Amino acid sequence: MKIKGLLQLQQIEQTIDAAQTELEREGIEEKLCLVFRLALEEILLIYRERFGGDAAFSLCFRKWNGDLKVRLSVAGEAADPFAQDSFILGELRKDFRNAPTWRFKGQQNQVYFLFELYTTTLKNFMFSRKYIAGSRKLLALTVVCQIISALLGILAPAIGARIIIAYTHNEANRVMLIAVTLLGVQLLRNLFLVISNQGYNRIYTRTLSALEKDLVSNVLHIESRCVDEKGSGLFIQRITVDTSRIASGFNNIADMVTQVLNYFGVLCAMFMVNPFISLLVVVIIGVQCIMELWRTKRLYADDRIFRSANERFSGLVSEMVRGARDVKLLNSEARFTETLNDRIEEANEKKLFMQSRSWNAKLIRWEIGEFGSFALIAFLAYLIARGLIIPSVALIFYNYYTELGPNAVKTIGNFMDSIADFNISNERIHALLNSPEFPKEHFGSVELASPKGEITFEHVDFAYEPAEGKKVLDDLSFTIHPGEMVGLVGKSGCGKSTTFNLISKLYEATRGRVLLDGIDIQDLTHDSIRNSMTVVTQNPYIFRMTVKENLKVVKEDMTDEEMEEVCRLACIDEDIKTMPYGYDTLIGEGGVNLSGGQRQRLAIARSMLRDSRIILFDEATSALDNVTQARIQEAIDNMRQGRTVVIIAHRLSTIVGADRILFMQDGRILAEGTHQELMDTCEAYQSLAALETSGDAEPSAGIRQEDTPYGGSRHEGGRRRHRD
Ligand SMILES: Nc1ncnc2c1ncn2[C@@H]1O[C@H](COP(=O)(O)OP(=O)(O)OP(=O)(O)O)[C@@H](O)[C@H]1O
Ligand SMILES: [Mg+2]
């Protein structure tokens, strides 16, 4: 593809739109397309400023050796755009796997971008063949059955023709004999057809489940940062739609290879009768096949764009369903519906565009086919007139052509459609499994045989979006000793939950080290990290399962006694007993039919089933009533039992009895000590406590004066109980 224009603002805008679309069509990852768009705009504007709006440019896209080369040429004297002080171009050079280059040649400034194109059908096939490996024998058997059924299918009309001849010759006995043969052939044909279809179904199901299982387990290992960024729609679409397209792709390809073999057989027979006429038939069919290949190639590119749009749509649908309650309460149904409608329109538009281009190409192919038929009829008539063939041979060829031609082209078209589908789905699944676009969590190989429960942060920096440079944790250092109970407090957004995310290695530090028992968590195995700690998050996720099943997620072989014991210790047992089916009550998605406090206590019960050395408890931000707060407090105390406990507290009352309190501000520790020490030495802490006692602060809502530690007794009681 080539785009030409002048450096006029409007033309620049149109060019960058078209260029981005072209890249998307070629399956270049979305982020790279956006970076390219920004860079191209920047470069064009730099040249516009330098040479004025009347300077000419051209943008040329060329595929070469598995890469896509994009060349921008601008007429004028030599000017390297990368020599300019441009933030975007600087970022671009960092971001691209192959940094763009500039050169000056033939009075043209030429900027080259190189994009790696992933796939070829063979590569795709090699990548995904492992999923069909378990069905190889079945596939071979199925293909053989299909070939037999196809051969019998060819035989049936021939036998039918003999019946007609026998009728016309008045040979009743012969008719009966042939009819019995035909019956046998048809019965067998049906049998083989059903066996092959059953085989294909089985292969499809097996391949699909192998793919889905692999994908699901892989998705859970993708870095949380990437899952946050991509959103759920992409994963849902790829796991549900693309897997089934790959699985059916194998079947379609096998099916069509058999059909193509059949047509090849017919062609051979034709060549034996008359090679010259056969050659003409091959040319006519060949031209149509080339048209089909062209059509499917374009379809392939358009389909990629449609699927990205569809991913955006389904992402929003999944969010809308999950957030339906909030959407209603915010009275934003209309706004949401409007956005959803836009996404539906966008996806439909892309689909319509894809289909309309495909139909136009089909029309051209059909018309070529009609001209081909006409040419064949004329050629056969000419041969008969010249006495070169007898009419019956002409008839045979004409019949062959009308039977074979459209079917063969249709098969080729379907075959190419399936290949395109197969390729796109493969690209998308391959990306999910292997591409750096979806980075996987990495763990080390050091086992922590018997964790002690020491946590150390050494000059840790962290940013959710490193590119934007906003540090959430800034040179954070602290050590929590085994068996210690530490409170983590600080203003909302100061990085408390983020600290937990780093301890549990859901995210990785951008600088510095996080250590468990003195070992860098980068070196520890997955199980050493995740088994040594239990995290109760601020908003724990309760699955759409019964209470019992929610607990079993953590411990498959949990006994009923264990279950009741942890629920009692987590102070949720009484609540469960009042539910309609007790432990067998079904909880709604995300725990919708539980209160915030119940959700947290059930999460505590769930975590108690894991006997881990470290407990990280992120207190819910919502102000809980005193009774619930007390019960959660009791649950935490029950959980402690000599373990290392870190509690993120939104009310100081929760952690007043802690061995130590870390007071965080802007991603670092501002002060540390016991509650009393901090009250004596840290002004910021004093004001936090003052806010809480005055009842101004959101977290303290609902705390009565006597409940608070600085004038209260409950927590002393809790601690004393523990010490006993
Ligand atoms: N997944 C995420 N992606 C990007 N930014 C995030 C993400 N999670 C949190 N942040 C940002 O990081 C900062 C720290 O968030 P964090 O959740 O650690 O705060 P917090 O101290 O736990 O606050 P709170 O007391 O309200 O729970 C906030 O500015 C927040 O907007
Ligand atoms: Mg938090």
Side-chain angles (χ1 to χ4, degrees):
M1 189 179 105
K2 194 163 186 176
I3 305 170
K4 282 182 169 180
L6 300 178
L7 292 169
Q8 309 279 344
L9 285 179
Q10 200 187 357
Q11 288 191 34
I12 289 178
E13 206 171 301
Q14 285 165 352
T15 304
I16 56 173
D17 278 347
Q20 189 187 358
T21 311
E22 187 60 22
L23 248 57
E24 281 172 10
R25 268 206 195 110
E26 293 300 342
I28 308 296
E29 70 184 70
E30 200 181 335
K31 192 174 153 201
L32 225 51
C33 291
L34 280 172
V35 177
F36 168 74
R37 184 194 165 96
L38 287 173
L40 183 63
E41 185 176 21
E42 181 86 351
I43 295 173
L44 289 171
L45 290 176
I46 288 174
Y47 281 128
R48 179 185 148 85
E49 200 165 294
R50 175 102 190 220
F51 305 131
D54 291 333
F57 75 90
S58 70
L59 194 64
C60 175
F61 296 80
R62 203 154 54 90
K63 271 198 254 182
W64 177 251
N65 210 9
D67 287 328
L68 176 70
K69 248 186 185 174
V70 184
R71 191 190 66 204
L72 169 73
S73 305
V74 183
E77 75 248 27
D80 179 359
F82 299 105
Q84 309 279 326
D85 183 22
S86 157
F87 173 75
I88 292 174
L89 296 187
E91 283 300 301
L92 172 85
R93 288 209 152 182
K94 265 194 255 157
D95 238 38
F96 262 80
R97 261 155 255 153
N98 295 304
T101 52
W102 168 83
R103 69 175 184 179
F104 188 67
K105 195 179 162 201
Q107 295 306 306
Q108 295 273 339
N109 287 284
Q110 297 184 337
V111 181
Y112 285 92
F113 298 86
L114 198 66
F115 297 90
E116 204 178 308
L117 289 176
Y118 164 62
T119 53
T120 62
T121 306
L122 188 65
K123 262 195 202 168
N124 281 331
F125 191 78
M126 297 311 276
F127 157 69
S128 53
R129 85 199 148 120
K130 62 174 181 274
Y131 298 107
I132 203 170
S135 312
R136 240 185 247 148
K137 279 186 196 153
L138 183 62
L139 183 66
L141 186 76
T142 308
V143 169
V144 169
C145 288
Q146 205 199 5
I147 291 175
I148 296 175
S149 122
L151 289 177
L152 293 172
I154 296 173
L155 220 59
I159 299 174
R162 283 178 178 272
I163 292 183
I164 297 170
I165 295 168
Y167 270 136
T168 51
H169 286 83
N170 228 349
E171 295 171 341
N173 286 346
R174 217 173 126 68
V175 167
M176 282 313 291
L177 190 70
I178 302 172
V180 169
T181 316
L182 183 63
L183 176 70
V185 166
Q186 291 289 41
L187 290 179
L188 273 180
R189 185 192 168 202
N190 293 344
L191 184 69
F192 279 104
L193 194 68
V194 169
I195 294 178
S196 64
N197 279 329
Q198 297 268 33
Y200 280 137
N201 277 348
R202 199 160 289 212
I203 294 165
Y204 170 80
T205 319
R206 277 193 202 165
T207 317
L208 182 63
S209 69
L211 261 161
E212 284 174 342
K213 283 178 194 164
D214 193 28
L215 222 60
V216 166
S217 67
N218 265 280
V219 164
L220 284 176
H221 290 118
I222 290 175
E223 282 184 7
S224 311
R225 190 195 298 271
C226 169
V227 178
D228 295 347
E229 190 188 305
K230 302 278 180 192
S232 55
L234 181 147
F235 297 99
I236 294 170
Q237 278 282 318
R238 293 192 190 192
I239 294 175
T240 55
V241 178
D242 289 306
T243 47
S244 74
R245 290 199 183 195
I246 292 183
S248 51
F250 278 118
N251 282 356
N252 292 343
I253 291 168
D255 183 22
M256 280 163 210
V257 167
T258 328
Q259 287 192 41
V260 169
L261 283 179
N262 264 331
Y263 296 136
F264 188 69
V266 177
L267 268 183
C268 287
M270 280 167 61
F271 267 93
M272 277 192 264
V273 179
N274 188 320
F276 294 109
I277 309 175
S278 304
L279 207 62
L280 179 66
V281 171
V282 168
V283 169
I284 298 169
I285 296 176
V287 171
Q288 294 180 64
C289 287
I290 291 170
M291 272 305 299
E292 264 310 272
L293 293 179
W294 179 68
R295 181 185 70 83
T296 47
K297 198 173 154 207
R298 293 201 331 181
L299 190 75
Y300 182 21
D302 293 340
D303 195 17
R304 262 204 208 102
I305 297 195
F306 161 66
R307 289 203 213 178
S308 300
N310 213 24
E311 236 161 44
R312 286 191 283 277
F313 160 62
S314 58
L316 192 64
V317 170
S318 96
E319 274 200 87
M320 195 193 67
V321 173
R322 270 186 291 140
R325 294 206 313 180
D326 291 71
V327 172
K328 285 179 192 169
L329 293 174
L330 291 166
N331 196 17
S332 339
E333 289 100 324
R335 177 78 200 89
F336 235 86
T337 321
E338 200 181 301
T339 318
L340 205 61
N341 287 349
D342 288 347
R343 300 254 171 118
I344 293 173
E345 288 296 321
E346 187 200 357
N348 283 349
E349 229 170 71
K350 306 281 184 217
K351 187 163 194 173
L352 218 61
F353 177 74
M354 172 176 88
Q355 288 174 335
S356 110
R357 290 223 309 182
S358 171
W359 277 111
N360 290 344
K362 267 188 188 171
L363 178 68
I364 300 174
R365 196 253 289 162
W366 284 344
E367 304 300 42
I368 290 175
E370 301 310 332
F371 278 110
S373 299
F374 176 75
L376 182 68
I377 293 170
F379 185 57
L380 290 174
Y382 167 77
L383 292 179
I384 294 172
R386 297 287 301 266
L388 294 172
I389 54 166
I390 53 169
S392 57
V393 171
L395 205 61
I396 289 173
F397 270 96
Y398 184 69
N399 272 345
Y400 268 146
Y401 172 72
T402 49
E403 276 292 309
L404 182 73
N407 285 337
V409 177
K410 203 166 133 193
T411 305
I412 295 280
N414 289 345
F415 183 63
M416 294 314 293
D417 279 350
S418 294
I419 294 262
D421 245 3
F422 180 76
N423 278 338
I424 298 178
S425 291
N426 252 292
E427 268 172 33
R428 292 151 57 90
I429 300 272
H430 184 273
L432 210 57
L433 295 177
N434 301 318
S435 141
E437 192 189 347
F438 295 91
K440 306 288 176 309
E441 296 175 308
H442 287 288
F443 294 93
S445 54
V446 181
E447 290 281 351
L448 210 56
S450 47
K452 293 193 288 287
E454 186 189 73
I455 305 164
T456 311
F457 270 49
E458 280 182 2
H459 307 287
V460 170
D461 280 2
F462 177 77
Y464 283 100
E465 312 272 348
E468 285 167 25
K470 188 188 160 233
K471 280 188 197 172
V472 175
L473 300 184
D474 185 7
D475 198 24
L476 180 65
S477 295
F478 62 79
T479 299
I480 294 170
H481 305 289
E484 212 181 1
M485 178 170 165
V486 172
L488 206 55
V489 290
K491 267 198 244 162
S492 178
C494 72
K496 302 182 293 295
S497 301
T498 305
T499 307
F500 276 12
N501 287 342
L502 262 65
I503 300 175
S504 49
K505 204 167 183 274
L506 280 182
Y507 293 84
E508 289 174 16
T510 26
R511 188 182 72 98
R513 299 198 304 165
V514 177
L515 304 116
L516 280 188
D517 290 354
I519 304 170
D520 191 332
I521 60 166
Q522 297 292 1
D523 299 332
L524 290 174
T525 60
H526 173 273
D527 287 356
S528 298
I529 299 169
R530 303 273 157 85
N531 281 345
S532 64
M533 65 185 67
T534 298
V535 190
V536 180
T537 60
Q538 214 163 354
N539 192 9
Y541 197 87
I542 306 294
F543 302 97
R544 191 176 179 279
M545 300 172 177
T546 63
V547 175
K548 194 175 190 171
E549 284 165 347
N550 258 293
L551 295 168
K552 274 198 170 177
V553 167
V554 178
K555 194 172 180 188
E556 182 62 34
D557 55 355
M558 167 191 79
T559 61
D560 283 357
E561 291 73 40
E562 258 180 302
M563 174 180 77
E564 283 165 28
E565 170 73 1
V566 290
C567 288
R568 194 179 53 73
L569 289 173
C571 307
I572 182 79
D573 56 331
E574 282 170 23
D575 301 59
I576 295 173
K577 280 177 195 146
T578 61
M579 291 179 189
Y581 301 100
Y583 286 93
D584 292 317
T585 308
L586 185 70
I587 310 288
E589 210 168 86
V592 280
N593 44 354
L594 295 180
S595 73
Q598 283 172 334
R599 260 207 297 273
Q600 276 229 328
R601 277 178 287 139
L602 187 58
I604 292 176
R606 198 161 63 176
S607 53
M608 276 179 176
L609 283 168
R610 307 186 53 203
D611 188 20
S612 55
R613 294 303 308 157
I614 300 171
I615 291 162
L616 307 176
F617 181 79
D618 199 344
E619 190 183 52
T621 11
S622 55
L624 301 172
D625 63 87
N626 290 332
V627 178
T628 311
Q629 165 80 15
R631 303 193 77 186
I632 288 186
Q633 189 67 44
E634 196 183 334
I636 296 170
D637 284 341
N638 286 336
M639 197 161 54
R640 196 176 163 193
Q641 312 279 356
R643 297 179 172 108
T644 307
V645 180
V646 189
I647 300 177
I648 293 178
H650 295 97
R651 333 167 163 211
L652 299 185
S653 57
T654 315
I655 40 99
V656 70
D659 300 321
R660 204 149 48 100
I661 294 169
L662 304 178
F663 182 56
M664 275 183 86
Q665 190 166 302
D666 299 332
R668 51 168 72 199
I669 306 288
L670 187 71
E672 64 172 280
T674 59
H675 170 70
Q676 202 50 55
E677 282 165 3
L678 288 177
M679 284 300 279
D680 294 342
T681 56
C682 179
E683 248 177 63
Y685 188 80
Q686 282 166 11
S687 30
L688 193 75
L691 269 176
E692 196 165 317
T693 40
S694 69
D696 287 352
E698 177 262 351
S700 65
I703 304 183
R704 292 196 310 270
Q705 187 65 36
E706 64 269 29
D707 279 334
T708 60
Y710 358 97
S713 59
R714 181 169 55 79
H715 293 278
E716 287 303 322
R719 294 277 286 140
R720 211 176 301 121
R721 196 167 46 242
H722 179 73
R723 286 188 193 119
D724 292 343

